[in-house]
Amino acid sequence: MALTIVLLFGALFINLNYLQVVRADDLASDSANARRLVAEYDSERGRILSGRGPDTRPVAESVETRDELKFLRQYDSGPLYAHVTGFSSPIFGRSEIERAFDDELTGNAPEAFARNLADLLAGRERAGDAVHTTVRDEVQQAARDALGELEGAVVALAPATGEILALWSSPTYDPNDLASHDPKEVRESWRRLNDDASKPLLNRALRESYPPGSTFKLVTAAAALESGVSPDQTFPDPQRLDLPQTSATIGNFGGSLCNGGQPLSLTQALTVSCNTTFAQLGLDLGAETLAEQATRFGFNTDWDFQLPATAVSQVPSDADPPATAQSAIGQRDVRATPLQMAVVTAAIANDGVMMTPYIVDRVEDTSGRVIREFTPEELRLPGQPNAQAISRGSADALQAMMENVVNAGSGSNAAITGVQVAGKTGTAQTGEGRPPTVWFVGFAPADNPAVAVAVVVPDVGGAGSEATGGAVAGPIARAVIEAALGTQ
Protein backbone atom coordinates (compact mmCIF):
# COMPACT_ATOMS: atom_id res chain seq x y z
CA MET A 1 0.00 0.00 0.00
CA ALA A 2 2.85 2.38 0.87
CA LEU A 3 4.53 1.62 -2.43
CA THR A 4 1.26 2.27 -4.29
CA ILE A 5 0.81 5.62 -2.54
CA VAL A 6 4.40 6.62 -3.39
CA LEU A 7 3.81 5.70 -7.04
CA LEU A 8 0.55 7.68 -7.15
CA PHE A 9 2.22 10.75 -5.60
CA GLY A 10 5.06 10.35 -8.11
CA ALA A 11 2.57 10.24 -11.00
CA LEU A 12 0.78 13.29 -9.58
CA PHE A 13 4.10 15.16 -9.32
CA ILE A 14 4.98 14.31 -12.92
CA ASN A 15 1.52 15.32 -14.18
CA LEU A 16 1.58 18.65 -12.33
CA ASN A 17 4.98 19.48 -13.78
CA TYR A 18 3.79 18.45 -17.24
CA LEU A 19 0.73 20.70 -16.99
CA GLN A 20 2.50 23.68 -15.41
CA VAL A 21 5.71 23.57 -17.44
CA VAL A 22 5.31 21.64 -20.70
CA ARG A 23 1.70 22.60 -21.49
CA ALA A 24 1.57 25.92 -19.65
CA ASP A 25 1.48 28.12 -22.77
CA ASP A 26 -1.10 25.96 -24.58
CA LEU A 27 -3.43 25.90 -21.59
CA ALA A 28 -3.02 29.62 -20.92
CA SER A 29 -3.99 30.50 -24.50
CA ASP A 30 -6.79 27.93 -24.81
CA SER A 31 -10.06 29.68 -25.68
CA ALA A 32 -11.85 27.45 -23.15
CA ASN A 33 -9.72 28.81 -20.32
CA ALA A 34 -12.24 31.05 -18.56
CA ARG A 35 -9.67 32.43 -16.12
CA ARG A 36 -7.49 33.58 -18.99
CA LEU A 37 -10.49 35.30 -20.57
CA VAL A 38 -11.53 36.99 -17.32
CA ALA A 39 -7.96 38.20 -16.74
CA GLU A 40 -7.71 39.48 -20.31
CA TYR A 41 -10.96 41.45 -20.10
CA ASP A 42 -10.08 42.78 -16.66
CA SER A 43 -7.86 45.43 -18.28
CA GLU A 44 -9.09 48.21 -20.52
CA ARG A 45 -8.10 47.55 -24.13
CA GLY A 46 -6.66 50.57 -25.95
CA ARG A 47 -8.68 52.59 -28.41
CA ILE A 48 -8.34 52.59 -32.20
CA LEU A 49 -8.60 56.17 -33.42
CA SER A 50 -9.19 57.95 -36.73
CA GLY A 51 -8.84 61.62 -37.60
CA ARG A 52 -6.38 64.27 -36.53
CA GLY A 53 -6.40 67.02 -33.91
CA PRO A 54 -9.92 68.08 -32.87
CA ASP A 55 -11.40 65.64 -35.39
CA THR A 56 -9.84 62.62 -33.67
CA ARG A 57 -12.44 60.06 -32.65
CA PRO A 58 -12.51 56.44 -31.55
CA VAL A 59 -13.61 53.80 -34.04
CA ALA A 60 -13.03 51.06 -31.44
CA GLU A 61 -12.96 51.39 -27.65
CA SER A 62 -13.66 49.42 -24.47
CA VAL A 63 -16.44 50.36 -22.05
CA GLU A 64 -16.83 49.11 -18.50
CA THR A 65 -19.66 46.70 -17.72
CA ARG A 66 -21.04 44.81 -14.74
CA ASP A 67 -20.50 41.46 -16.43
CA GLU A 68 -18.01 38.83 -15.38
CA LEU A 69 -15.90 40.23 -18.23
CA LYS A 70 -15.20 43.75 -17.01
CA PHE A 71 -14.78 45.52 -20.37
CA LEU A 72 -16.87 45.26 -23.55
CA ARG A 73 -15.33 46.11 -26.92
CA GLN A 74 -17.42 48.58 -28.90
CA TYR A 75 -17.07 49.70 -32.52
CA ASP A 76 -18.52 53.18 -32.84
CA SER A 77 -18.52 53.14 -36.63
CA GLY A 78 -19.47 49.47 -36.86
CA PRO A 79 -19.48 48.31 -40.50
CA LEU A 80 -17.69 51.42 -41.87
CA TYR A 81 -14.35 50.41 -40.35
CA ALA A 82 -14.93 46.66 -39.96
CA HIS A 83 -12.17 45.62 -42.38
CA VAL A 84 -9.79 48.16 -40.86
CA THR A 85 -10.26 47.57 -37.14
CA GLY A 86 -11.30 43.94 -37.49
CA PHE A 87 -12.99 42.41 -34.46
CA SER A 88 -11.96 41.40 -30.95
CA SER A 89 -14.14 38.51 -29.87
CA PRO A 90 -14.07 36.62 -26.55
CA ILE A 91 -14.71 33.41 -28.53
CA PHE A 92 -13.22 33.83 -32.01
CA GLY A 93 -10.15 35.92 -31.29
CA ARG A 94 -9.12 38.92 -33.35
CA SER A 95 -8.55 40.18 -36.88
CA GLU A 96 -7.02 43.14 -38.75
CA ILE A 97 -5.67 45.95 -36.49
CA GLU A 98 -7.09 44.24 -33.41
CA ARG A 99 -4.87 41.27 -34.20
CA ALA A 100 -1.81 42.98 -35.69
CA PHE A 101 -1.51 45.50 -32.83
CA ASP A 102 -2.76 43.29 -30.01
CA ASP A 103 0.37 43.85 -27.89
CA GLU A 104 -0.03 47.61 -28.12
CA LEU A 105 -3.77 47.54 -27.47
CA THR A 106 -3.32 45.34 -24.38
CA GLY A 107 -0.36 47.35 -23.09
CA ASN A 108 2.04 44.44 -23.54
CA ALA A 109 4.33 45.99 -26.14
CA PRO A 110 8.04 46.33 -25.21
CA GLU A 111 7.65 50.12 -25.17
CA ALA A 112 5.16 49.82 -22.30
CA PHE A 113 7.40 47.74 -20.00
CA ALA A 114 8.61 50.61 -17.79
CA ARG A 115 5.13 52.06 -17.46
CA ASN A 116 3.63 48.67 -16.61
CA LEU A 117 6.26 48.13 -13.93
CA ALA A 118 5.50 51.55 -12.43
CA ASP A 119 1.75 50.80 -12.53
CA LEU A 120 2.33 47.46 -10.80
CA LEU A 121 4.39 49.04 -8.00
CA ALA A 122 1.83 51.82 -7.58
CA GLY A 123 -1.13 49.44 -7.63
CA ARG A 124 -2.66 51.05 -10.74
CA GLU A 125 -4.67 49.04 -13.26
CA ARG A 126 -3.02 48.37 -16.59
CA ALA A 127 -4.55 50.04 -19.66
CA GLY A 128 -3.79 49.49 -23.32
CA ASP A 129 -2.29 52.06 -25.66
CA ALA A 130 -4.14 53.92 -28.41
CA VAL A 131 -3.53 53.02 -32.05
CA HIS A 132 -4.06 55.75 -34.67
CA THR A 133 -5.15 54.72 -38.14
CA THR A 134 -4.33 56.80 -41.23
CA VAL A 135 -7.78 56.20 -42.75
CA ARG A 136 -9.77 59.40 -43.25
CA ASP A 137 -13.47 59.34 -42.47
CA GLU A 138 -14.56 61.34 -45.50
CA VAL A 139 -12.60 59.17 -47.93
CA GLN A 140 -13.77 55.93 -46.31
CA GLN A 141 -17.38 57.12 -46.41
CA ALA A 142 -17.04 58.15 -50.05
CA ALA A 143 -15.77 54.66 -50.94
CA ARG A 144 -18.68 53.08 -49.08
CA ASP A 145 -21.30 55.34 -50.64
CA ALA A 146 -19.91 55.14 -54.19
CA LEU A 147 -19.64 51.35 -54.19
CA GLY A 148 -23.07 51.06 -52.58
CA GLU A 149 -24.56 47.58 -52.70
CA LEU A 150 -22.02 46.33 -55.25
CA GLU A 151 -19.53 43.68 -54.24
CA GLY A 152 -15.98 44.95 -54.50
CA ALA A 153 -13.18 46.90 -52.87
CA VAL A 154 -11.52 50.30 -52.85
CA VAL A 155 -8.01 51.24 -51.72
CA ALA A 156 -6.86 54.86 -51.65
CA LEU A 157 -3.41 55.95 -50.53
CA ALA A 158 -1.04 58.91 -50.62
CA PRO A 159 1.60 58.22 -53.32
CA ALA A 160 4.42 60.20 -51.67
CA THR A 161 4.05 58.58 -48.24
CA GLY A 162 2.14 55.31 -48.55
CA GLU A 163 -0.54 56.33 -46.02
CA ILE A 164 -3.77 54.40 -46.54
CA LEU A 165 -6.60 56.95 -46.83
CA ALA A 166 -9.39 54.44 -47.41
CA LEU A 167 -9.64 50.66 -47.30
CA TRP A 168 -13.14 49.51 -48.08
CA SER A 169 -14.47 46.03 -48.76
CA SER A 170 -18.08 45.32 -49.67
CA PRO A 171 -20.16 43.69 -48.35
CA THR A 172 -19.18 44.44 -44.79
CA TYR A 173 -20.35 43.37 -41.33
CA ASP A 174 -20.79 44.76 -37.82
CA PRO A 175 -17.89 43.73 -35.54
CA ASN A 176 -20.04 44.54 -32.50
CA ASP A 177 -21.92 41.28 -33.16
CA LEU A 178 -18.74 39.29 -32.53
CA ALA A 179 -17.58 41.36 -29.56
CA SER A 180 -20.66 40.62 -27.46
CA HIS A 181 -20.28 38.94 -24.05
CA ASP A 182 -23.22 36.66 -24.83
CA PRO A 183 -21.66 33.38 -26.14
CA LYS A 184 -24.87 32.28 -27.86
CA GLU A 185 -25.22 35.60 -29.66
CA VAL A 186 -21.58 35.55 -30.76
CA ARG A 187 -21.77 31.99 -32.11
CA GLU A 188 -25.00 32.71 -33.97
CA SER A 189 -23.45 35.81 -35.56
CA TRP A 190 -20.32 33.87 -36.51
CA ARG A 191 -22.40 31.11 -38.10
CA ARG A 192 -24.56 33.61 -39.97
CA LEU A 193 -21.57 35.55 -41.32
CA ASN A 194 -19.72 32.43 -42.43
CA ASP A 195 -22.81 30.92 -44.05
CA ASP A 196 -23.47 34.12 -46.02
CA ALA A 197 -22.63 33.44 -49.67
CA SER A 198 -21.48 37.05 -50.11
CA LYS A 199 -18.64 36.48 -47.60
CA PRO A 200 -18.88 39.72 -45.57
CA LEU A 201 -15.93 38.68 -43.36
CA LEU A 202 -13.62 38.52 -46.40
CA ASN A 203 -11.39 41.58 -46.75
CA ARG A 204 -11.46 41.86 -50.54
CA ALA A 205 -9.02 44.76 -50.55
CA LEU A 206 -6.23 42.56 -49.16
CA ARG A 207 -7.07 38.87 -49.36
CA GLU A 208 -8.84 38.39 -52.66
CA SER A 209 -7.01 38.62 -55.98
CA TYR A 210 -8.70 39.23 -59.32
CA PRO A 211 -7.73 39.28 -62.99
CA PRO A 212 -6.65 42.92 -63.39
CA GLY A 213 -7.67 43.18 -67.03
CA SER A 214 -6.45 46.26 -68.85
CA THR A 215 -5.19 47.98 -65.70
CA PHE A 216 -2.26 45.55 -66.05
CA LYS A 217 -1.41 47.27 -69.35
CA LEU A 218 0.31 49.85 -67.11
CA VAL A 219 2.80 47.15 -66.13
CA THR A 220 3.16 46.00 -69.76
CA ALA A 221 3.67 49.61 -70.88
CA ALA A 222 6.26 50.09 -68.12
CA ALA A 223 8.16 47.00 -69.30
CA ALA A 224 8.05 48.30 -72.88
CA LEU A 225 9.27 51.78 -71.91
CA GLU A 226 12.06 50.29 -69.79
CA SER A 227 13.05 48.13 -72.79
CA GLY A 228 13.45 51.15 -75.07
CA VAL A 229 10.00 51.52 -76.63
CA SER A 230 8.99 55.19 -76.86
CA PRO A 231 5.45 56.56 -76.25
CA ASP A 232 5.35 57.65 -79.91
CA GLN A 233 6.45 54.32 -81.41
CA THR A 234 3.72 53.00 -83.68
CA PHE A 235 2.19 49.55 -84.06
CA PRO A 236 -0.13 47.92 -86.61
CA ASP A 237 -3.88 47.96 -85.93
CA PRO A 238 -5.30 44.53 -86.80
CA GLN A 239 -8.84 43.65 -85.83
CA ARG A 240 -7.55 40.45 -84.28
CA LEU A 241 -4.05 39.27 -83.34
CA ASP A 242 -3.13 35.73 -84.35
CA LEU A 243 -1.38 33.93 -81.48
CA PRO A 244 1.60 31.67 -82.28
CA GLN A 245 1.44 27.91 -81.62
CA THR A 246 -2.36 27.98 -81.66
CA SER A 247 -5.37 28.85 -83.79
CA ALA A 248 -6.63 31.26 -81.10
CA THR A 249 -6.70 35.02 -81.54
CA ILE A 250 -7.01 38.10 -79.33
CA GLY A 251 -9.44 40.83 -80.31
CA ASN A 252 -10.35 44.24 -79.03
CA PHE A 253 -13.40 45.17 -76.98
CA GLY A 254 -16.48 44.76 -79.17
CA GLY A 255 -14.37 43.30 -81.97
CA SER A 256 -13.46 46.75 -83.28
CA LEU A 257 -10.30 48.33 -84.67
CA CYS A 258 -8.39 50.65 -82.36
CA ASN A 259 -7.47 53.33 -84.92
CA GLY A 260 -9.50 52.58 -88.01
CA GLY A 261 -6.85 50.14 -89.20
CA GLN A 262 -4.12 52.79 -89.25
CA PRO A 263 -0.89 52.48 -87.21
CA LEU A 264 -1.21 53.81 -83.66
CA SER A 265 1.32 54.89 -81.06
CA LEU A 266 1.85 53.36 -77.63
CA THR A 267 0.16 56.43 -76.12
CA GLN A 268 -2.87 55.98 -78.38
CA ALA A 269 -2.98 52.26 -77.62
CA LEU A 270 -3.17 52.91 -73.87
CA THR A 271 -5.70 55.71 -74.36
CA VAL A 272 -8.19 53.42 -76.09
CA SER A 273 -6.97 50.27 -74.26
CA CYS A 274 -6.03 48.42 -77.43
CA ASN A 275 -5.77 44.68 -76.72
CA THR A 276 -4.02 43.75 -79.95
CA THR A 277 -1.20 46.25 -79.39
CA PHE A 278 -0.51 45.17 -75.83
CA ALA A 279 -0.81 41.47 -76.64
CA GLN A 280 1.81 42.01 -79.37
CA LEU A 281 3.99 43.85 -76.83
CA GLY A 282 3.70 40.82 -74.56
CA LEU A 283 4.91 38.57 -77.37
CA ASP A 284 7.78 40.95 -78.18
CA LEU A 285 8.88 41.35 -74.54
CA GLY A 286 8.48 37.72 -73.51
CA ALA A 287 7.15 36.19 -70.30
CA GLU A 288 10.35 36.65 -68.33
CA THR A 289 10.69 40.38 -69.03
CA LEU A 290 7.02 40.97 -68.32
CA ALA A 291 7.17 39.07 -65.03
CA GLU A 292 10.40 40.81 -64.04
CA GLN A 293 8.77 44.23 -64.41
CA ALA A 294 5.70 43.05 -62.50
CA THR A 295 7.95 41.74 -59.72
CA ARG A 296 9.60 45.15 -59.44
CA PHE A 297 6.10 46.51 -58.75
CA GLY A 298 5.52 43.91 -56.00
CA PHE A 299 3.91 40.99 -57.85
CA ASN A 300 5.12 37.47 -57.00
CA THR A 301 6.39 38.78 -53.65
CA ASP A 302 5.03 38.39 -50.14
CA TRP A 303 5.92 41.91 -49.01
CA ASP A 304 5.04 43.12 -45.53
CA PHE A 305 1.93 45.12 -44.73
CA GLN A 306 0.77 46.10 -41.25
CA LEU A 307 -2.38 43.98 -41.51
CA PRO A 308 -1.84 40.20 -41.59
CA ALA A 309 -2.23 37.59 -44.33
CA THR A 310 -2.26 39.77 -47.45
CA ALA A 311 -2.65 37.72 -50.65
CA VAL A 312 0.26 37.61 -53.11
CA SER A 313 -0.45 39.04 -56.58
CA GLN A 314 0.91 36.84 -59.35
CA VAL A 315 2.27 36.97 -62.89
CA PRO A 316 3.76 33.79 -64.43
CA SER A 317 7.37 33.99 -65.62
CA ASP A 318 7.36 30.72 -67.58
CA ALA A 319 4.24 31.16 -69.70
CA ASP A 320 4.26 30.08 -73.34
CA PRO A 321 3.82 32.79 -76.02
CA PRO A 322 -0.01 32.59 -76.28
CA ALA A 323 -0.34 32.76 -72.49
CA THR A 324 2.17 35.63 -72.37
CA ALA A 325 0.07 37.62 -74.85
CA GLN A 326 -2.94 37.11 -72.62
CA SER A 327 -0.93 37.99 -69.52
CA ALA A 328 0.10 41.28 -71.13
CA ILE A 329 -3.55 42.39 -71.15
CA GLY A 330 -4.16 41.22 -67.57
CA GLN A 331 -5.89 37.93 -68.35
CA ARG A 332 -5.07 34.22 -68.12
CA ASP A 333 -3.09 33.50 -64.91
CA VAL A 334 -2.46 37.11 -63.83
CA ARG A 335 -4.02 37.99 -60.46
CA ALA A 336 -3.83 41.17 -58.40
CA THR A 337 -5.26 42.46 -55.15
CA PRO A 338 -6.73 45.99 -55.00
CA LEU A 339 -3.89 46.95 -52.63
CA GLN A 340 -1.33 45.75 -55.20
CA MET A 341 -2.87 47.79 -58.02
CA ALA A 342 -3.04 50.84 -55.75
CA VAL A 343 0.68 50.42 -55.04
CA VAL A 344 1.46 50.15 -58.78
CA THR A 345 -0.55 53.29 -59.50
CA ALA A 346 1.03 55.19 -56.60
CA ALA A 347 4.54 54.22 -57.77
CA ILE A 348 3.85 55.63 -61.24
CA ALA A 349 2.49 58.82 -59.65
CA ASN A 350 5.56 59.01 -57.37
CA ASP A 351 8.05 59.15 -60.25
CA GLY A 352 8.58 55.40 -60.19
CA VAL A 353 9.44 55.08 -56.49
CA MET A 354 7.37 52.64 -54.43
CA MET A 355 6.46 53.61 -50.87
CA THR A 356 5.53 51.09 -48.19
CA PRO A 357 1.78 51.32 -47.59
CA TYR A 358 0.77 51.68 -43.94
CA ILE A 359 -2.55 52.00 -42.14
CA VAL A 360 -1.32 52.84 -38.61
CA ASP A 361 0.96 55.84 -38.17
CA ARG A 362 1.47 55.98 -34.41
CA VAL A 363 0.79 54.47 -31.00
CA GLU A 364 0.14 56.68 -27.96
CA ASP A 365 0.05 55.79 -24.28
CA THR A 366 -2.77 56.79 -21.95
CA SER A 367 -1.24 60.25 -21.38
CA GLY A 368 -1.12 60.99 -25.14
CA ARG A 369 2.63 60.52 -25.45
CA VAL A 370 3.74 58.96 -28.74
CA ILE A 371 5.60 55.75 -27.91
CA ARG A 372 5.86 54.34 -31.42
CA GLU A 373 5.67 56.04 -34.80
CA PHE A 374 5.51 54.78 -38.37
CA THR A 375 6.92 57.19 -40.93
CA PRO A 376 7.07 57.08 -44.75
CA GLU A 377 9.50 54.45 -45.96
CA GLU A 378 10.49 53.28 -49.42
CA LEU A 379 9.32 49.77 -50.30
CA ARG A 380 12.49 47.81 -51.05
CA LEU A 381 11.49 44.35 -52.21
CA PRO A 382 13.62 41.22 -51.76
CA GLY A 383 16.14 40.89 -54.57
CA GLN A 384 15.68 44.48 -55.74
CA PRO A 385 18.52 47.03 -55.36
CA ASN A 386 16.17 49.90 -54.49
CA ALA A 387 12.54 51.02 -54.46
CA GLN A 388 12.65 52.38 -58.03
CA ALA A 389 10.12 50.19 -59.87
CA ILE A 390 10.65 52.13 -63.10
CA SER A 391 12.91 55.01 -64.12
CA ARG A 392 11.83 58.62 -63.66
CA GLY A 393 11.61 58.99 -67.45
CA SER A 394 9.32 55.96 -67.82
CA ALA A 395 7.16 57.20 -64.96
CA ASP A 396 6.83 60.63 -66.60
CA ALA A 397 5.77 59.00 -69.86
CA LEU A 398 3.20 56.79 -68.13
CA GLN A 399 1.79 59.74 -66.20
CA ALA A 400 1.18 61.63 -69.44
CA MET A 401 -0.33 58.54 -71.09
CA MET A 402 -2.68 58.02 -68.12
CA GLU A 403 -3.79 61.66 -68.31
CA ASN A 404 -4.72 61.02 -71.93
CA VAL A 405 -6.81 57.98 -70.90
CA VAL A 406 -9.02 60.25 -68.77
CA ASN A 407 -9.01 63.24 -71.13
CA ALA A 408 -9.65 61.43 -74.39
CA GLY A 409 -10.06 57.73 -73.77
CA SER A 410 -11.78 55.00 -71.79
CA GLY A 411 -11.41 56.76 -68.41
CA SER A 412 -13.50 59.86 -69.14
CA ASN A 413 -16.03 58.98 -66.41
CA ALA A 414 -13.32 59.63 -63.79
CA ALA A 415 -12.70 63.20 -64.98
CA ILE A 416 -13.11 65.99 -62.39
CA THR A 417 -13.69 69.60 -63.36
CA GLY A 418 -10.70 71.73 -62.43
CA VAL A 419 -8.51 68.73 -61.49
CA GLN A 420 -6.38 66.70 -63.89
CA VAL A 421 -6.96 63.01 -63.19
CA ALA A 422 -4.69 60.30 -64.60
CA GLY A 423 -6.03 56.77 -64.79
CA LYS A 424 -6.56 53.42 -66.48
CA THR A 425 -9.66 51.30 -66.89
CA GLY A 426 -9.83 47.53 -66.81
CA THR A 427 -12.44 45.01 -67.96
CA ALA A 428 -11.36 41.43 -67.32
CA GLN A 429 -13.25 38.53 -68.87
CA THR A 430 -13.90 35.78 -66.33
CA GLY A 431 -15.40 32.99 -68.43
CA GLU A 432 -17.88 32.21 -71.15
CA GLY A 433 -21.28 33.68 -70.34
CA ARG A 434 -20.07 35.34 -67.13
CA PRO A 435 -20.00 39.09 -66.55
CA PRO A 436 -16.55 40.69 -66.39
CA THR A 437 -14.59 41.98 -63.41
CA VAL A 438 -14.07 45.71 -63.86
CA TRP A 439 -11.43 48.09 -62.52
CA PHE A 440 -10.30 51.66 -62.41
CA VAL A 441 -6.94 52.83 -61.11
CA GLY A 442 -5.78 56.43 -61.08
CA PHE A 443 -4.26 59.37 -59.25
CA ALA A 444 -4.78 63.12 -58.90
CA PRO A 445 -3.87 65.91 -59.25
CA ALA A 446 -1.67 64.65 -62.06
CA ASP A 447 0.97 67.37 -61.59
CA ASN A 448 1.23 66.90 -57.80
CA PRO A 449 -0.42 63.59 -56.84
CA ALA A 450 -2.10 63.57 -53.43
CA VAL A 451 -4.13 60.39 -53.82
CA ALA A 452 -3.90 57.14 -55.80
CA VAL A 453 -6.88 54.82 -55.93
CA ALA A 454 -7.75 51.31 -57.07
CA VAL A 455 -11.36 50.16 -57.49
CA VAL A 456 -12.48 46.63 -58.36
CA VAL A 457 -16.02 45.36 -58.93
CA PRO A 458 -16.03 41.59 -59.59
CA ASP A 459 -18.72 40.15 -61.85
CA VAL A 460 -19.96 43.74 -62.22
CA GLY A 461 -22.51 43.25 -59.46
CA GLY A 462 -25.23 42.28 -61.94
CA ALA A 463 -24.58 45.26 -64.23
CA GLY A 464 -24.39 42.96 -67.25
CA SER A 465 -21.84 41.47 -69.61
CA GLU A 466 -21.34 44.75 -71.52
CA ALA A 467 -20.28 46.73 -68.44
CA THR A 468 -16.78 48.21 -68.46
CA GLY A 469 -14.28 49.58 -65.97
CA GLY A 470 -14.82 53.08 -67.29
CA ALA A 471 -18.59 52.90 -66.90
CA VAL A 472 -18.81 51.14 -63.53
CA ALA A 473 -15.54 51.64 -61.63
CA GLY A 474 -14.61 55.06 -63.04
CA PRO A 475 -17.36 57.03 -61.24
CA ILE A 476 -16.55 55.22 -57.97
CA ALA A 477 -12.90 56.26 -58.25
CA ARG A 478 -13.93 59.83 -59.08
CA ALA A 479 -16.02 60.08 -55.90
CA VAL A 480 -13.15 58.77 -53.76
CA ILE A 481 -10.64 61.14 -55.36
CA GLU A 482 -12.99 64.08 -54.84
CA ALA A 483 -13.35 63.21 -51.18
CA ALA A 484 -9.58 62.89 -50.73
CA LEU A 485 -8.99 66.25 -52.42
CA GLY A 486 -11.95 67.98 -50.74
CA THR A 487 -13.50 68.95 -54.08
CA GLN A 488 -16.93 67.38 -53.55
Side-chain angles (χ1 to χ4, degrees):
M1 184 177 292
L3 181 59
T4 301
I5 292 173
V6 168
L7 289 173
L8 289 173
F9 269 105
L12 180 61
F13 177 79
I14 292 171
N15 188 53
L16 287 174
N17 278 273
Y18 171 71
L19 292 174
Q20 294 186 20
V21 178
V22 178
R23 293 203 58 208
D25 290 340
D26 290 340
L27 293 171
S29 59
D30 194 312
S31 59
N33 187 342
R35 284 188 293 181
R36 176 199 63 82
L37 196 61
V38 170
E40 179 183 315
Y41 278 76
D42 198 44
S43 298
E44 183 178 359
R45 190 173 179 83
R47 297 183 299 169
I48 302 176
L49 303 169
S50 73
R52 293 292 179 272
D55 295 327
T56 300
R57 69 180 187 89
V59 290
E61 59 185 334
S62 294
V63 296
E64 196 165 353
T65 72
R66 295 183 179 180
D67 300 340
E68 183 181 9
L69 303 182
K70 186 176 179 180
F71 288 97
L72 172 68
R73 197 64 165 166
Q74 285 190 346
Y75 298 90
D76 300 344
S77 294
L80 180 64
Y81 276 80
H83 291 105
V84 176
T85 62
F87 58 80
S88 179
S89 170
I91 297 177
F92 296 106
R94 301 174 184 85
S95 65
E96 311 304 0
I97 287 178
E98 293 279 25
R99 175 182 167 187
F101 289 85
D102 186 52
D103 285 345
E104 289 79 2
L105 292 166
T106 56
N108 286 317
E111 295 86 353
F113 176 77
R115 185 195 70 209
N116 290 340
L117 181 59
D119 287 345
L120 179 64
L121 295 175
R124 293 188 295 265
E125 291 186 357
R126 175 186 294 187
D129 298 317
V131 172
H132 285 254
T133 175
T134 60
V135 174
R136 287 168 43 188
D137 279 353
E138 67 274 18
V139 188
Q140 186 79 348
Q141 290 167 6
R144 175 197 62 191
D145 296 344
L147 199 55
E149 297 300 316
L150 294 175
E151 177 187 323
V154 177
V155 175
L157 52 79
T161 64
E163 290 177 279
I164 300 289
L165 307 178
L167 191 148
W168 176 250
S169 178
S170 176
T172 186
Y173 68 100
D174 190 346
N176 288 296
D177 295 340
L178 299 175
S180 169
H181 289 179
D182 183 337
K184 181 180 179 182
E185 180 182 322
V186 172
R187 288 190 173 92
E188 287 178 352
S189 296
W190 182 258
R191 188 180 306 109
R192 170 177 52 80
L193 290 169
N194 280 280
D195 288 347
D196 191 332
S198 67
K199 300 180 180 178
L201 289 174
L202 175 63
N203 190 334
R204 289 169 168 81
L206 306 179
R207 299 189 188 95
E208 189 78 314
S209 60
Y210 306 90
S214 292
T215 60
F216 190 77
K217 289 172 183 173
L218 294 174
V219 178
T220 305
L225 291 167
E226 293 287 276
S227 298
V229 176
S230 76
D232 297 326
Q233 183 171 326
T234 58
F235 301 85
D237 183 28
Q239 191 166 11
R240 304 194 71 83
L241 178 69
D242 292 326
L243 297 179
Q245 304 175 7
T246 177
S247 59
T249 61
I250 287 180
N252 299 306
F253 184 77
S256 63
L257 294 165
C258 294
N259 193 36
Q262 299 301 309
L264 74 167
S265 67
L266 181 61
T267 295
Q268 290 174 305
L270 192 74
T271 300
V272 298
S273 201
C274 188
N275 286 343
T276 53
T277 299
F278 280 90
Q280 183 62 58
L281 276 172
L283 292 173
D284 294 343
L285 294 167
E288 188 174 344
T289 299
L290 191 62
E292 182 181 336
Q293 179 60 68
T295 300
R296 287 169 60 189
F297 275 119
F299 284 80
N300 300 329
T301 307
D302 188 10
W303 44 270
D304 289 336
F305 182 55
Q306 288 176 324
L307 300 186
T310 303
V312 175
S313 300
Q314 297 182 340
V315 177
S317 60
D318 57 353
D320 59 25
T324 301
Q326 292 176 319
S327 294
I329 60 172
Q331 297 279 178
R332 190 64 181 244
D333 299 320
V334 180
R335 291 293 182 275
T337 65
L339 176 63
Q340 174 65 72
M341 292 311 300
V343 167
V344 170
T345 307
I348 295 169
N350 196 41
D351 298 331
V353 178
M354 293 204 300
M355 301 301 292
T356 302
Y358 61 103
I359 199 166
V360 168
D361 64 355
R362 68 187 187 277
V363 179
E364 294 179 353
D365 64 17
T366 52
S367 67
R369 181 175 61 93
V370 176
I371 59 174
R372 190 177 181 190
E373 193 169 12
F374 300 91
T375 55
E377 186 177 294
E378 292 184 354
L379 179 56
R380 301 192 179 190
L381 300 171
Q384 302 298 324
N386 52 47
Q388 195 82 37
I390 50 175
S391 68
R392 173 70 180 266
S394 294
D396 287 344
L398 272 175
Q399 291 167 13
M401 292 162 69
M402 291 173 70
E403 289 180 40
N404 218 39
V405 170
V406 175
N407 293 340
S410 58
S412 59
N413 281 335
I416 300 172
T417 303
V419 177
Q420 179 61 66
V421 178
K424 183 68 191 80
T425 59
T427 305
Q429 303 304 317
T430 57
E432 188 69 32
R434 292 184 58 191
T437 289
V438 299
W439 291 76
F440 185 90
V441 299
F443 59 88
D447 60 347
N448 186 24
V451 58
V453 64
V455 177
V456 65
V457 184
D459 298 332
V460 204
S465 60
E466 296 304 311
T468 64
V472 177
I476 297 171
R478 181 184 65 228
V480 174
I481 292 171
E482 287 177 331
L485 300 180
T487 61
Q488 290 175 303

